Amino acid sequence: MFELHRGRYARAQEIADEDVEINGAIGRHGLALIEAIAAGKSGAVNVLTHCNAGWLAAVDWGPATSTIYQAHDKGVPVHVWVDETRPRNQGAALTAWELGQHGVPHTVIADNTGGHLMQHGMIDAVIVGADRVTANGDVCNKIGTYLKALAAKDNGVPFYVGLPSPTIDFSLSDGRAEIPIEQRGADEVATVTGLTADGRIERVRVVPDGSAVANYAFDVTPARLVSGLITERGIIAPRRDALAAAFAQRAQTSSAAG
């Protein structure tokens, strides 16, 4: 029994180490993007995030925030606009806390603020994570990501996705048609949980009793709205040929299985 558990712990450590290596590489590739933006402007590079794809969701770096942390650590001035990410508030509760722990300047905003900031030139780039990416570069991520991508496209703001390659599902071609979207419990939308002044965690209802509630947890951003996929093997165009070339073995394995 001891040997069995030791083997499991060893495998878990291997997985964690691999995650650190992959996310570190993602950040190193993304760093070049931040440095290029910084070279062309005065003041901090302003990055918008959505949901949480940091070290609380991964290990040490996080696929989306690795770029930000590595830029900050290298001395590149960076400021992060943090979407609150309703209804679970992962941005306000998790990403903001992470950034604060790392000393990265940041500002939490309501989810609907991003478009306004882009219109006024206050966002230089959007970097989000991904729960699933199709073979042609469609990106499934936390609900609200699609709207940020639309606003970014309209305002000429680059929209990047930081993702480890295991997130790519080469068996899928059309994210909107083939990725099932989870609907979660109504209470996540109908109520808000927060910390009171005296340190208690309380939940209050913000939707009237009797009102129907829909809670779609994710949405799909079409590849045409994505500027680039920041992976451990570099920044890749959101196209089938580019992804298949970068991750040929996985693409071939998926093709053979299909």
Side-chain angles (χ1 to χ4, degrees):
M1 181 64 70
F2 174 77
E3 290 297 326
L4 176 63
H5 285 309
R6 186 166 67 177
R8 289 171 175 170
Y9 284 127
R11 180 56 184 145
Q13 186 63 58
E14 289 175 0
I15 293 171
D17 290 343
E18 180 185 34
D19 197 52
V20 172
E21 182 179 350
I22 287 176
N23 291 327
I26 289 171
R28 288 191 293 274
H29 291 300
L31 171 61
L33 296 172
I34 302 299
E35 289 180 319
I37 295 172
K41 65 170 297 186
S42 60
V45 176
N46 288 287
V47 178
L48 175 72
T49 64
H50 190 71
C51 196
N52 177 260
W55 49 261
L56 285 172
V59 184
D60 279 2
W61 291 111
T65 53
S66 180
T67 290
I68 295 166
Y69 292 138
Q70 295 199 40
H72 174 78
D73 290 351
K74 194 174 179 180
V76 180
V78 60
H79 167 266
V80 184
W81 294 105
V82 183
D83 274 352
E84 60 182 343
T85 326
R86 282 279 292 149
R88 295 290 292 170
N89 291 320
Q90 296 98 325
L94 303 180
T95 303
W97 184 84
E98 275 189 30
L99 294 170
Q101 294 297 303
H102 204 92
V104 179
H106 63 281
T107 305
V108 178
I109 57 173
D111 285 351
N112 293 327
T113 306
H116 169 78
L117 297 179
M118 292 182 205
Q119 283 182 328
H120 291 271
M122 299 171 70
I123 294 176
D124 298 303
V126 180
I127 302 179
V128 301
D131 289 83
R132 205 171 185 184
V133 175
T134 66
N136 69 320
D138 293 339
V139 174
C140 181
N141 193 49
K142 184 59 59 181
I143 193 73
T145 302
Y146 174 45
L147 293 179
K148 298 300 155 56
L150 285 171
K153 186 73 171 180
D154 190 52
N155 289 280
V157 175
F159 182 95
Y160 294 103
V161 181
L163 70 145
S165 60
T167 305
I168 305 168
D169 189 340
F170 282 99
S171 70
L172 301 180
S173 298
D174 185 338
R176 187 176 64 173
E178 297 178 286
I179 297 178
I181 300 300
E182 175 189 9
Q183 292 196 55
R184 295 173 60 91
D187 276 353
E188 288 184 354
V189 174
T191 64
V192 174
T193 300
L195 194 66
T196 64
D198 59 359
R200 292 177 294 110
I201 297 177
E202 295 284 353
R203 186 171 69 175
V204 297
R205 188 172 182 86
V206 294
V207 174
D209 288 331
S211 292
V213 173
N215 184 13
Y216 295 90
F218 304 93
D219 59 24
V220 174
T221 298
R224 61 183 172 81
L225 300 177
V226 178
S227 303
L229 303 171
I230 311 173
T231 77
E232 69 269 26
R233 294 187 180 175
I235 301 170
I236 300 172
R239 301 194 315 268
R240 179 182 294 274
D241 60 339
L243 286 168
F247 303 100
Q249 184 174 359
R250 291 193 57 240
Q252 291 168 1
T253 300
S254 178
S255 177

